[in-house]
Amino acid sequence: MLKIENLHASINGKEILKGISLTVKDGEIHAVMGLNGAGKSTLSNVIVGHPAYEVTQGSITFNGKDLLSLKPEERAHEGIFLSFQQPVEIPGVSMVNFMRAALNAKRKYQGLEPIPAGDFLKLMREKRSIVELDSKLASRSVNEGFSGGEKKRNEIFQMAMLEPKLTILDETDSGLDVDALRIVAEGFNKLRRPDSSAIVITHYQRLLDYLKPDVVHVLIDGRIVKTGGPELAIEIEKRGFDWIKEEIGL
Amino acid sequence: MSAEKQYIEFFGEVRDTIAIRSCDEMNAQRETALQTFSAKGFPSSKVERYRYAKVDADFSPNYGIALTTLTEQLPPYCFRIENAEPRVRALYNKVADNADSIVALNTMLCVDTLVVHVPKGIRVEHPIQISNILKGEQDTMVSRRILIVMDEMAEADIIVTDRAASQSRFLTNQVIEVLMGDGSHLSLYEVEETHLLCTRFNSVFVQQGKNSSLHHTNLTLFNGHTRNRLDVRLQGEGSEVTANGCVIADKMQRVDNNTLIDHQAPSCQSNELYKYVLDDSAVGAFAGKVLVREGAQKTSSKETNANLCATSSARMFTQPMLEIYADDVQCSHGSTVGQMDEAALFYMRQRGIDEREARLLLKAAFITEVIETIPLESLRDRLHVLVDKRLRGELSKCEGCKLCQ
Ligand SMILES: Nc1ncnc2c1ncn2[C@@H]1O[C@H](COP(=O)(O)OP(=O)(O)OP(=O)(O)O)[C@@H](O)[C@H]1O
Ligand SMILES: [Mg+2]
């Protein structure tokens, strides 16, 4: 599904990603862990095409397409979804209008007619219930005045609406209380299709208990320094990152 | 004195024709107006309230000057001035600023006045809509006058729309005078949706009695050059005014809003919110003064001007002013000029909304705050649609209007 090779990226002339290679196959869940500032959000931003980052070397292919040549909205249409670490508030743009615009843009890309109003509202209701998003929130402006946890829940709601092939969760667990984490994680599992994949960025094992990653990567200083199975995450939860740093001689 | 000349000479030629078509109340004011206009000429940008306007250039082109009268068939509460009550007719030109030469030019050339008179205690159920439609093959200058008289405790919604049904050059010089009796309520909406060749000077003067309340919203959705002046005198204790406006301008459009809220009596409230969305090489100006006079204690006033410049070539001049001569008051004023929120744009694009659409949604969102303050629901809904169409570049014709087909 996703193939990243020797990816180097910088922001404001400062190199953050220093040669990342990563392959995610259909249906796989990859966890990415690492210290603050290691470059995890940078990696997700580069995958979705944030204009502030400059890719200086390497390639990303997504289902055979050269991702780096696509605009952010085209990458979204191809089926990539990022649940942002810090979702932005957009005062004055209602959730309904926002979601309708997003969904219809995707349908247009697929050569489909805009979704009929009745079907759209039904779909909103249906998906909202999966992540138990309050109907009051869905009638407000995008993320405006939402609590930290509500914003994260809203991200997963949007994912549910757009049904991506590859989802990147950037610390979706942070800010969620224990119950909300369970609801969001179970919602995510319910929404998964056998061939959809995910990259899950997290600092904690709790989310991974629900999502059951196939592969766990450790990102330090812009490089993937260690890759293992689910047990690696459990070990990191217990012992931190120092032992890994020692292992690689940092 | 070059641009002035054609108007003065023209008046000399047609003064008798105008006098015959018009009425005594209006005719009585013409010679004084001519003197003011001749003496002062068009205001230069050195005149404080015309700092951002280009009056001379706007009045220079050679326009045919229209001397039209209103039709006799008018809706309830609306009259040609000659058919209004004498008491109401006598109020003509009593609130307008006669020292202003643009107003004087209007007083000199305007042939007829539309009077809206709502008698004491009457609540007008349906909004009164005044549609101004510019149509004609020749470049034309139009002088238009409206007098709104709200007697004690009267209530009404009035919508004044400006449209152009042909692609000629038009210059409109409009004066609206509003007298509000004690306890009266008026919502006055102005919507301009003309085209790039239209220039509009619009001067609105309001005088408010005790406990009266005015909601004024001025929307410039499409235009060429526009200059709106609004003067509100809060003369009666406990009166309130909401004066809002929004502007959408792109290409080479120019919009200047110049307001004065004059707190003359105690315990009055004013609220002002003007928002501009400027794109391409559009130029916007907002100058709003809130004046709190001595003795206007317990005044509460808020003035905000917020602007969004979508390009670096769009320019905004903003000048909120506060002048206070009383001590027990609560006043705030401020302005902001911002760019498109890049983080929000990217967020939308990540969800698949293309850049153009995302920009459009953000612009509409910026304007929404002004439209949401409009008490009249049907108008609010209509305006949301109009704003959306405007931003999409689908200039709307008056739907269902024969003149615009
Ligand atoms: N605009 C910028 N200019 C310069 N440096 C930046 C900029 N944005 C991010 N960085 C730096 O890039 C590095 C990587 O940041 P990134 O957000 O990718 O880390 P992260 O691994 O997601 O961390 P966290 O776990 O705290 O979310 C950090 O050192 C950060 O300070
Ligand atoms: Mg991060």
Side-chain angles (χ1 to χ4, degrees):
Chain A
M1 169 155 317
L2 180 76
K3 189 166 187 175
I4 302 177
E5 281 178 301
N6 190 30
L7 184 70
H8 289 252
S10 50
I11 184 159
N12 295 333
K14 182 180 161 202
E15 183 165 71
I16 309 289
L17 301 184
K18 303 172 180 170
I20 297 224
S21 296
L22 177 69
T23 302
V24 180
K25 297 205 183 82
D26 286 5
E28 280 183 351
I29 292 193
H30 288 230
V32 175
M33 304 183 81
L35 296 170
N36 295 131
K40 304 179 297 296
S41 294
T42 302
L43 177 62
S44 32
N45 278 320
V46 169
I47 295 173
V48 297
H50 195 296
Y53 298 86
E54 193 197 350
V55 174
T56 51
Q57 244 193 84
S59 66
I60 309 180
T61 41
F62 183 67
N63 291 327
K65 289 205 167 109
D66 171 18
L67 204 61
L68 295 177
S69 69
L70 300 182
K71 291 184 198 156
E73 51 269 36
E74 293 166 337
R75 299 182 197 200
H77 297 147
E78 288 294 330
I80 298 180
F81 181 93
L82 170 61
S83 165
F84 286 86
Q85 183 170 359
Q86 279 154 340
V88 295
E89 301 195 7
I90 317 181
V93 176
S94 72
M95 271 305 292
V96 174
N97 284 346
F98 171 68
M99 255 3 286
R100 186 187 292 122
L103 201 65
N104 283 337
K106 182 179 160 200
R107 289 173 68 94
K108 191 173 164 195
Y109 190 77
Q110 295 169 334
L112 299 171
E113 289 293 305
I115 185 168
D119 295 0
F120 172 73
L121 292 174
K122 197 171 142 238
L123 191 69
M124 288 274 284
R125 266 199 306 278
E126 196 182 297
K127 302 293 183 177
R128 223 177 52 221
S129 72
I130 297 178
V131 289
E132 298 179 27
L133 184 79
D134 199 314
S135 67
K136 282 198 222 73
L137 294 182
S139 64
R140 294 227 297 256
S141 288
V142 179
N143 291 326
E144 192 187 22
F146 286 28
S147 74
E150 286 166 348
K151 283 180 185 163
K152 295 304 175 73
R153 203 184 279 227
N154 192 23
E155 294 291 285
I156 302 305
F157 163 69
Q158 293 172 42
M159 175 205 138
M161 289 293 291
L162 296 169
E163 301 181 333
K165 295 186 184 121
L166 173 72
T167 302
I168 305 167
L169 301 182
D170 191 354
E171 298 197 24
T172 301
D173 49 349
S174 72
L176 289 175
D177 64 51
V178 181
D179 290 338
L181 178 70
R182 177 180 48 77
I183 292 160
V184 164
E186 283 174 355
F188 180 88
N189 284 337
K190 240 183 273 175
L191 293 162
R192 274 191 73 196
R193 281 165 315 195
D195 60 342
S196 61
S197 311
I199 294 174
V200 182
I201 296 167
T202 181
H203 292 291
Y204 307 104
Q205 175 57 31
R206 234 179 17 220
L207 177 65
L208 301 178
D209 284 340
Y210 289 106
L211 302 190
K212 312 219 179 314
D214 303 288
V215 186
V216 176
H217 306 276
V218 177
L219 189 74
I220 291 181
D221 191 23
R223 291 185 185 89
I224 290 177
V225 296
K226 195 173 177 69
T227 295
E231 70 291 341
L232 180 55
I234 296 167
E235 189 139 14
I236 289 169
E237 176 102 338
K238 272 196 230 131
R239 298 171 59 192
F241 290 101
D242 283 351
W243 63 278
I244 302 178
K245 283 189 183 168
E246 272 166 36
E247 236 179 63
I248 58 167
L250 260 177
Chain B
M1 268 275 173
S2 53
E4 290 85 358
K5 215 171 130 210
Q6 62 166 318
Y7 296 96
I8 295 169
E9 281 176 2
F10 176 78
F11 179 66
E13 287 161 25
V14 297
R15 130 190 302 129
D16 295 339
T17 320
I18 293 180
I20 296 165
R21 291 192 196 172
S22 190
C23 64
D24 292 349
E25 286 79 4
M26 293 183 74
N27 289 335
Q29 314 269 343
R30 292 188 204 282
E31 296 304 322
T32 324
L34 170 66
Q35 279 164 24
T36 306
F37 181 71
S38 307
K40 291 197 163 176
F42 286 117
S44 74
S45 56
K46 293 204 181 71
V47 177
E48 192 192 334
R49 297 200 66 178
Y50 287 90
R51 236 171 113 173
Y52 306 105
K54 292 184 179 156
V55 188
D56 211 72
D58 283 337
F59 279 87
S60 282
N62 196 2
Y63 289 103
I65 300 174
L67 298 175
T68 39
T69 53
L70 292 157
T71 137
E72 294 285 345
Q73 291 163 331
L74 293 169
Y77 309 106
C78 298
F79 310 90
R80 290 183 62 184
I81 187 164
E82 60 180 40
N83 299 331
E85 285 177 27
R87 164 178 72 88
V88 171
R89 288 208 305 261
L91 297 171
Y92 171 79
N93 211 27
K94 287 288 183 288
V95 225
D97 173 9
N98 287 295
D100 179 295
S101 40
I102 306 285
V103 173
L105 181 64
N106 177 283
T107 307
M108 199 170 107
L109 293 175
C110 194
V111 181
D112 205 350
T113 295
L114 175 70
V115 172
V116 182
H117 175 210
V118 184
K120 185 174 174 180
I122 298 280
R123 186 172 159 264
V124 181
E125 185 95 17
H126 298 292
I128 298 169
Q129 185 170 350
I130 303 168
S131 300
N132 298 302
I133 297 164
L134 299 163
K135 193 175 165 80
E137 297 317 308
Q138 274 178 353
D139 295 352
T140 308
M141 189 257 199
V142 179
S143 306
R144 204 189 283 144
R145 191 97 179 194
I146 301 173
L147 170 64
I148 300 171
V149 178
M150 304 290 292
D151 286 346
E152 251 173 75
M153 307 301 285
E155 278 182 49
D157 297 302
I158 301 178
I159 305 170
V160 184
T161 59
D162 261 59
R163 291 206 165 100
S166 38
Q167 284 298 313
S168 318
R169 274 176 186 280
F170 292 106
L171 169 63
T172 303
N173 182 13
Q174 172 173 272
V175 173
I176 302 181
E177 295 180 276
V178 183
L179 288 102
M180 297 183 65
D182 293 352
S184 63
H185 293 275
L186 174 67
S187 294
L188 177 62
Y189 308 99
E190 297 187 70
V191 187
E192 179 177 3
E193 230 187 309
T194 55
H195 58 63
L196 291 171
L197 298 175
C198 293
T199 298
R200 190 171 98 113
F201 280 76
N202 175 39
S203 311
V204 180
F205 301 93
V206 185
Q207 179 179 303
Q208 290 190 234
K210 263 191 219 161
N211 300 319
S212 64
S213 79
L214 169 71
H215 178 105
H216 181 258
T217 302
N218 193 334
L219 305 109
T220 307
L221 298 182
F222 207 103
N223 73 319
H225 294 171
T226 295
R227 198 247 181 198
N228 288 306
R229 168 177 179 177
L230 172 69
D231 285 25
V232 179
R233 267 174 258 154
L234 297 165
Q235 289 187 336
E237 191 169 343
S239 52
E240 286 177 26
V241 59
T242 298
N244 294 347
C246 75
V247 171
I248 301 175
D250 49 22
K251 303 188 181 69
M252 300 291 283
Q253 293 171 339
R254 225 172 60 206
V255 183
D256 170 7
N257 279 291
N258 190 299
T259 68
L260 169 68
I261 312 278
D262 186 353
H263 282 263
Q264 302 183 349
S267 307
C268 295
Q269 275 186 41
S270 66
N271 242 304
E272 199 172 4
L273 172 67
Y274 271 79
K275 287 191 139 187
Y276 288 55
V277 172
L278 303 176
D279 209 328
D280 302 331
S281 298
V283 179
F286 172 82
K289 187 196 267 188
V290 174
L291 173 61
V292 183
R293 301 207 187 221
E294 208 181 322
Q297 302 295 6
K298 309 265 180 238
T299 287
S300 143
S301 148
K302 188 173 181 224
E303 183 187 30
T304 310
N305 171 226
N307 310 289
L308 179 63
C309 288
T311 60
S312 53
S313 49
R315 275 181 304 156
M316 181 69 205
F317 300 94
T318 170
Q319 195 184 8
M321 290 166 279
L322 191 52
E323 228 176 275
I324 308 179
Y325 301 97
D327 47 24
D328 183 13
V329 300
Q330 273 200 327
C331 299
S332 69
H333 70 313
S335 71
T336 56
V337 181
Q339 276 95 45
M340 283 279 176
D341 180 347
E342 293 295 330
L345 274 181
F346 182 68
Y347 187 82
M348 291 197 259
R349 293 179 73 188
Q350 205 303 300
R351 298 308 186 239
I353 301 171
D354 69 40
E355 195 174 349
R356 189 186 115 88
E357 183 75 15
R359 284 180 181 276
L360 203 139
L361 284 172
L362 284 187
K363 288 180 188 172
F366 190 76
I367 293 291
T368 287
E369 189 186 357
V370 174
I371 295 176
E372 284 302 311
T373 62
I374 290 175
L376 198 63
E377 192 186 344
S378 54
L379 181 64
R380 220 165 45 222
D381 295 346
R382 176 83 187 124
L383 284 171
H384 282 305
V385 175
L386 280 182
V387 164
D388 186 71
K389 280 193 175 174
R390 161 63 175 100
L391 292 170
R392 284 179 198 285
E394 300 160 10
L395 193 91
S396 59
K397 302 273 182 210
C398 339
E399 278 151 31
C401 162
K402 284 195 199 87
L403 279 168
C404 292
Q405 302 307 310

